[in-house]
Amino acid sequence: MVQKKRSYTALIGITVLLLFVILLENLGNFIPGLPQVLTPTSPLFTVLKKAAVYSLVAVSMNLLNGFTGLFSLGQAGFMLLGAYTYAILTVPTAQKEQVYYLFEGCAFDFSLVDMFEGIFGNHGAGGAIAMILACLLALILAGCVAGFFAYLIGFPVLRLKSDYLAIATLGFAEILRAIFQWQKLGKVTNGANMIKGFPTFTNFNITDSSGAVILRLSTFVPFLISSLCIVVIVLLINSSYGRAFKSIRDDEVAAEAMGISLFKHKMLSFVISSFFAGVGGALFAMYVANAQAKAFTSVMTYEILLIVVIGGIGSVSGSVLATFLYVACSEWWLRFLDSEQYIGNIKVPLLRNGFRMVVFSVVIMVIVLFFSQGIMGNREISLGALIRKFSPKKERKQ
Amino acid sequence: MGNALHLENVTMQFGGVVSVNDLSIDVPEHKIIALIGPNGAGKTTAFNCITGVYQPTNGLIEFMGRPMVRNHPTGKALKTYKGENAGKFANDPVLAPAPDEITGLGIARTFQNIRLWKSMTVFENVLVAKHQRAKQNVFSATFRGNLAEEKRMRDETMDLLVEQGLDAYKDELAVSLPYGLQRRLEIARALATSPKLLLLDEPAAGMNPQETAELADFVRQIREKYDLTVFLIEHHMDLVMNVSDYIYVIDFGSEIARGIPEEVQNNRRVIEAYLGVSD
Ligand SMILES: Nc1ncnc2c1ncn2[C@@H]1O[C@H](COP(=O)(O)OP(=O)(O)OP(=O)(O)O)[C@@H](O)[C@H]1O
Ligand SMILES: [Mg+2]
């Protein structure tokens, strides 16, 4: 009963959030003369897009590190696999010559976008359907490729104890990055160059025939996909399998003695987490409008790990909340620290390029040192509880 | 009726230390059998061999008449082997099932140093033990195609908690319970795996005298209700003498006596072992 009620509030909450995002990014269409922050070029929307993408990756990492207790640092590697899968599968054939010009074209002459456009046509509603289907299928395949690689390396790696697991997965990600930059594979991966020209979030904006935007959806789309994926992860965590994962995290010996197969469940968690990291990687490629191995360094993994720790290991809502705060700080709120500022005639000391990272590091250190449980510990934000807290007090029935 | 559990020449050697030495034990079906001995005698290690936590260095363990665990020392282990009967199983294939597979066969256990899942409630602790036998897969569970199965698991868990008198604490964290109740919860959790054989490692440790006194009846009750065989380690002699049908006594890994309670109670070697007299 309570369970059901809670799922309904969560569902309504997510729907309201998504509608709000659409409204927010289209305000300019209704209200002229908006403040700068709400115009489409504002950093607000960059932050929202990036945070939507990162929150999925953070939650997928939390599933593995926080809920199953496996300390893995391969996230960037699986994101890379997802990003390249998505990019290679969706660059239209017509563009391949240009993208792969250093390697005289791409090794395989195929694009999901072309395939679906062949079926549904390439303009109007047909074109829209073709694009949605192509992107959707490519996103799913991006996840599958990442999941498949996780399955393969899972056999040797998941038998390792915690620190070794971290080192092995980190090494795996670094090796992948090197392989994808290898010139010999240029006909597939475009070597060290970026792959461009595939559908990105802006392709989802609805335009009229002259190309002017009627309905902006470029922030809504990453929100929608991320929310769907996070909902699936939450459903998994709250299922019988999620409970088995937690039992492994709490005490492996007891879990095994109560009939939980360690290897099977660790593998499941690893593959599923990597699947969503792959989808997240594809979304990241859509966000930056290119796929390049150079971007998926271990620094990215640490960034996500930091978000998970700040949000609270074992809290999905904590991860999401922390992602938005982290991305907003690093991309927006602390930006002013990087440029010289004047109050009246006096130059504010210390502010110069790079100072932002100093402040940022200090803030993070303080959080990690003094709030080691993170923002949420292992609790979750409950919408019902929030509403109760902020609504006028009613007689409570016992 | 046959034996639920049969140990034959089981030896467990860690490096140069022989913790269990050539142990042979029979646990007949539907009986309550005790394993006693002074501290460090190797009792818990024997349980760990039965449940797959350790692979014994040598020996055979049969469950319900079928070979379940079997091993013999080879290579370096054979050179350093200090036990007996090294060649007895040399021609038989090695059997080394994982602990969860052994649980699947129908052996459940509790732990001497309580191992409840600390971030989970009392209810969830028991519920997880139902996972192995549930008819579901990760897709049906995630997308809620297993509602009937999930409901059955929850109902059965609730029944177990009511029966163990733990229903009032169901939403509390398992580790917040008093010691005696944590032991009860471990038994409830073990029962949730639907075992045929229950291994209890010092179930009365940390219980108050009242709880200890009740434990004997309780063990007999669950044996009847779940048609169990019980194999237990215990230091409280009153409890052991009261509840056991048959007793094995070990010291320094080896058997020093066996018999019905009256025989063991008056055995000279047992008394010496417990009083620390060496001969
Ligand atoms: N994993 C291990 N590695 C090395 N030695 C071990 C290991 N496990 C147990 N031992 C040794 O085996 C011996 C028997 O230990 P065990 O825990 O089985 O005793 P016990 O009879 O259960 O004692 P207690 O009554 O104190 O619980 C001890 O000397 C212990 O140090
Ligand atoms: Mg012991």
Side-chain angles (χ1 to χ4, degrees):
Chain A
M1 241 343 258
V2 180
Q3 191 83 25
K4 241 184 198 158
K5 214 168 159 188
R6 222 186 292 153
S7 343
Y8 283 132
T9 18
L11 214 61
I12 293 167
I14 292 169
T15 317
V16 169
L17 175 76
L18 290 175
L19 291 176
F20 177 73
V21 170
I22 298 189
L23 190 69
L24 195 66
E25 64 175 333
N26 286 290
L27 273 182
N29 287 0
F30 315 118
I31 311 163
L34 274 179
Q36 160 70 30
V37 196
L38 293 173
T39 55
T41 50
S42 142
L44 172 67
F45 294 104
T46 319
V47 166
L48 287 180
K49 281 175 205 156
K50 186 173 179 187
V53 174
Y54 262 45
S55 53
L56 171 58
V57 185
V59 171
S60 83
M61 190 175 200
N62 209 342
L63 170 67
L64 191 62
N65 294 37
F67 287 92
T68 320
L70 291 173
F71 191 48
S72 156
L73 293 176
Q75 229 62 10
F78 296 112
M79 287 177 73
L80 180 149
L81 285 170
Y84 271 87
T85 307
Y86 175 83
I88 292 168
L89 285 175
T90 53
V91 176
T93 348
Q95 297 215 32
K96 288 204 167 169
E97 195 71 36
Q98 193 197 336
V99 173
Y100 287 85
Y101 75 98
L102 277 177
F103 300 93
E104 283 136 12
C106 180
F108 67 123
D109 241 4
F110 170 81
S111 160
L112 283 175
V113 175
D114 293 350
M115 186 183 96
F116 282 107
E117 281 182 350
I119 302 170
F120 296 99
N122 60 3
H123 52 261
I129 292 175
M131 174 119 104
I132 291 171
L133 287 180
C135 290
L136 212 58
L137 186 57
L139 281 173
I140 293 171
L141 289 173
C144 290
V145 168
F148 178 68
F149 271 80
Y151 178 74
L152 289 185
I153 70 158
F155 282 96
V157 155
L158 290 177
R159 300 187 191 279
L160 301 173
K161 288 270 170 259
S162 59
D163 308 355
Y164 297 99
L165 173 66
I167 294 166
T169 45
L170 191 67
F172 164 76
E174 293 295 303
I175 291 168
L176 265 188
R177 192 158 58 85
I179 292 177
F180 273 74
Q181 289 177 308
W182 191 23
Q183 296 293 321
K184 290 246 164 76
L185 290 176
K187 275 200 158 315
V188 183
T189 62
N190 207 12
N193 316 296
M194 52 176 69
I195 302 180
K196 286 189 292 198
F198 50 80
T200 66
F201 295 142
T202 37
N203 290 56
F204 287 90
N205 290 338
I206 298 173
T207 54
D208 61 17
S209 48
S210 71
V213 176
I214 305 171
L215 187 66
R216 210 170 279 284
L217 292 175
S218 58
T219 311
F220 166 73
V221 168
F223 264 78
L224 177 69
I225 299 169
S226 275
S227 330
L228 279 177
C229 293
I230 291 173
V231 164
V232 171
I233 296 176
V234 169
L235 283 172
L236 172 70
I237 286 171
N238 291 334
S239 80
S240 189
Y241 283 84
R243 294 189 298 259
F245 293 164
K246 287 185 229 169
S247 77
I248 292 175
R249 170 192 66 187
D250 282 3
D251 189 329
E252 278 195 10
V253 175
E256 216 175 10
M258 295 306 131
I260 310 295
S261 162
L262 291 188
F263 185 69
K264 182 184 152 196
H265 287 86
K266 285 179 178 179
M267 184 63 110
L268 258 179
S269 177
F270 190 48
V271 169
I272 293 169
S273 164
S274 304
F275 174 91
F276 287 110
V279 175
L283 290 176
F284 184 80
M286 292 171 91
Y287 161 71
V288 291
N290 67 62
Q292 194 173 20
K294 219 165 60 184
F296 300 95
T297 56
S298 48
V299 173
M300 190 182 234
T301 303
Y302 297 141
E303 215 175 12
I304 295 154
L305 179 66
L306 203 60
I307 290 174
V308 172
V309 171
I310 293 174
I313 288 176
S315 167
V316 171
S317 43
S319 289
V320 175
L321 194 66
T323 311
F324 280 84
L325 289 176
Y326 180 92
V327 174
C329 286
S330 74
E331 304 279 320
W332 186 16
W333 293 340
L334 297 181
R335 280 276 168 193
F336 74 93
L337 296 172
D338 268 2
S339 51
E340 299 182 347
Q341 307 265 338
Y342 293 87
I343 299 175
N345 262 339
I346 308 152
K347 185 170 171 243
V348 182
L350 288 175
L351 296 188
R352 64 178 62 98
N353 204 10
F355 185 62
R356 174 177 62 108
M357 289 320 286
V358 177
V359 174
F360 199 42
S361 312
V362 171
V363 169
I364 284 162
M365 224 143 71
V366 167
I367 290 179
V368 172
L369 283 178
F370 297 103
F371 304 91
S372 56
Q373 291 287 298
I375 307 174
M376 298 297 297
N378 59 7
R379 289 156 299 158
E380 296 291 349
I381 298 172
S382 142
L383 213 56
L386 278 181
I387 292 169
R388 249 173 281 130
K389 200 165 180 184
F390 291 110
S391 61
K393 287 222 168 67
K394 273 183 259 167
E395 292 282 317
R396 278 226 186 104
K397 272 176 258 170
Q398 273 300 335
Chain B
M1 260 194 275
N3 284 330
L5 188 71
H6 167 72
L7 273 67
E8 201 172 309
N9 308 106
V10 172
T11 299
M12 181 77 240
Q13 184 173 337
F14 297 104
V17 181
V18 182
S19 297
V20 173
N21 193 3
D22 208 38
L23 200 60
S24 294
I25 288 178
D26 283 320
V27 180
E29 268 183 73
H30 208 59
K31 290 279 192 285
I32 299 177
I33 308 299
L35 179 63
I36 64 171
N39 287 100
K43 307 180 293 295
T44 301
T45 307
F47 267 25
N48 284 337
C49 289
I50 298 166
T51 52
V53 176
Y54 298 142
Q55 163 81 333
T57 322
N58 187 47
L60 166 72
I61 301 174
E62 283 183 351
F63 179 58
M64 295 294 172
R66 293 225 188 96
M68 177 175 78
V69 173
R70 185 165 49 211
N71 200 14
H72 57 265
T74 51
K76 189 165 167 272
L78 182 59
K79 279 197 202 111
T80 55
Y81 188 64
K82 290 185 186 166
E84 285 146 75
N85 289 306
K88 185 166 177 187
F89 305 100
N91 298 319
D92 300 321
V94 170
L95 297 172
D100 58 283
E101 292 171 299
I102 289 176
T103 310
L105 293 174
I107 300 181
R109 73 175 293 181
T110 64
F111 294 92
Q112 179 178 355
N113 46 343
I114 298 176
R115 282 178 178 272
L116 291 166
W117 295 305
K118 59 180 186 304
S119 73
M120 296 195 206
T121 63
V122 168
F123 186 79
E124 287 171 326
N125 261 274
V126 178
L127 190 55
V128 169
K130 295 247 161 232
H131 178 74
Q132 185 183 33
R133 295 195 201 279
K135 291 183 189 63
Q136 60 185 3
N137 58 46
V138 68
F139 289 103
S140 69
T142 302
F143 298 107
R144 303 300 187 257
N146 65 338
L147 287 180
E149 192 69 357
E150 178 80 16
K151 182 171 182 317
R152 182 190 61 77
M153 284 158 66
R154 285 175 179 273
D155 289 348
E156 288 178 10
T157 299
M158 204 54 222
D159 291 346
L160 259 174
L161 289 181
V162 170
E163 179 190 290
Q164 306 292 323
L166 289 165
D167 48 326
Y169 310 95
K170 86 186 213 340
D171 293 322
E172 281 176 43
L173 284 183
V175 286
S176 68
L177 295 186
Y179 225 64
L181 289 181
Q182 289 194 24
R183 292 242 174 249
R184 275 271 171 115
L185 178 56
E186 270 219 337
I187 296 177
R189 183 176 72 169
L191 289 175
T193 65
S194 316
K196 300 187 188 91
L197 169 67
L198 182 60
L199 308 182
L200 302 173
D201 196 344
E202 302 200 15
M207 282 190 172
N208 60 36
Q210 161 92 26
E211 287 168 328
T212 309
E214 287 167 3
L215 194 64
D217 280 338
F218 171 70
V219 170
R220 278 193 210 97
Q221 255 171 38
I222 56 174
R223 171 181 63 170
E224 292 314 319
K225 172 144 192 207
Y226 296 96
D227 193 21
L228 288 175
T229 307
V230 180
F231 188 27
L232 64 92
I233 296 172
E234 192 43 76
H235 278 302
H236 286 77
M237 282 309 133
D238 298 349
L239 176 63
V240 172
M241 298 304 159
N242 175 356
V243 80
S244 323
D245 295 312
Y246 201 78
I247 300 173
Y248 288 85
V249 191
I250 62 173
D251 194 14
F252 296 112
S254 309
E255 178 185 323
I256 56 169
R258 63 166 79 181
I260 57 169
E262 292 75 31
E263 293 169 348
V264 167
Q265 228 162 357
N266 301 318
N267 186 300
R268 192 181 56 85
R269 289 190 66 189
V270 175
I271 295 165
E272 280 173 3
Y274 268 90
L275 295 178
V277 182
S278 58
D279 45 1

